[in-house]
């Protein structure tokens, strides 16, 4: 990492920020440490032939929103050296750090928590500023842009959505 290191506190904990420079292409990403994990607060924008797309297939959208990656992409291909896509355990740790109760953590198929989803979005208190960037479905249709954010984790080598934050809801859906 490079650049200044800033520290600040919010009601959910103590966070550090920094900048990650991707050695593969020189892209710079703001990063934030929540609990014991570092997170990118912008979407990854590394161009890997055949494994990434731009929103609506417009190259200028990659610069603005980052890239969307194939469910078959491997961490070693798309992530900067030393980084991996968050798995279920890491996402659960993030939810706990943001104040989600143990009772809510264990719920599935329902909206959970009180304001943890609101903390993750732009102007939220976590500093992560996750955007509502939707996804591309199995038929190639873009879904949910501007409405929700889907998180994934590796299960048997396949990336499957396990969490979703939706505009106007404070909680996090665990699918």
């Amino acid at each position: 990492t490079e650049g200044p290191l800033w520290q600040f506190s919010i009601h959910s904990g103590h966070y550090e920020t920094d900048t990650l420079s991707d050695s593969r292409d020189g892209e710079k990403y703001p990063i934030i440490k929540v609990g014991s994990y570092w997170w990118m607060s912008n979407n990854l924008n590394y161009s890997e032939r055949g494994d990434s797309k731009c929103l609506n297939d417009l190259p200028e959208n990659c610069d603005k929103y980052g890239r969307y990656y194939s469910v078959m992409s491997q961490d070693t291909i798309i992530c900067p050296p030393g980084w991996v896509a968050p798995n279920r355990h890491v996402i659960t740790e993030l939810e706990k750090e943001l104040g989600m109760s143990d009772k809510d953590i264990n719920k599935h198929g329902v909206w959970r928590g009180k304001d943890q989803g609101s903390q993750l979005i732009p102007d939220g208190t976590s500093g992560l500023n996750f955007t509502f960037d939707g996804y591309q479905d199995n038929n190639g249709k873009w879904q949910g842009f501007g409405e929700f954010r889907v998180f994934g984790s590796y299960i048997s080598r396949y990336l499957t959505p396990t969490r979703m934050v939706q505009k106007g809801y404070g909680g996090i859906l665990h699918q």
Side-chain angles (χ1 to χ4, degrees), residues 39 71 73 75 84-92 150-163 174-175:
W39 293 80
V71 296
S73 297
D75 289 346
V84 296
N87 61 33
R88 286 182 188 215
H89 170 75
V90 171
I91 294 171
T92 298
V150 175
F151 298 84
S153 67
Y154 280 100
I155 303 171
S156 302
R157 295 184 58 220
Y158 295 94
L159 188 65
T160 58
T162 60
R163 307 289 198 282
H174 186 182
Q175 301 170 326

Side-chain angles (χ1 to χ4, degrees), residues 43-44 55 60-68 131 133 145:
N43 287 335
L44 187 62
L55 177 68
E60 60 270 20
N61 283 340
C62 280
D63 292 333
K64 190 170 183 177
Y65 305 112
R67 292 183 177 272
Y68 294 75
T131 57
D133 52 10
F145 181 80

Side-chain angles (χ1 to χ4, degrees), residues 28-58:
K28 294 187 183 335
Y29 301 95
I31 57 174
I32 184 166
K33 188 174 185 181
V34 180
S36 58
Y37 296 98
W38 284 95
W39 293 80
M40 290 182 179
S41 57
N42 286 355
N43 287 335
L44 187 62
N45 189 22
Y46 178 68
S47 178
E48 179 61 34
R49 279 182 268 149
D51 277 341
S52 67
K53 293 185 175 189
C54 303
L55 177 68
N56 294 323
D57 300 317
L58 298 173

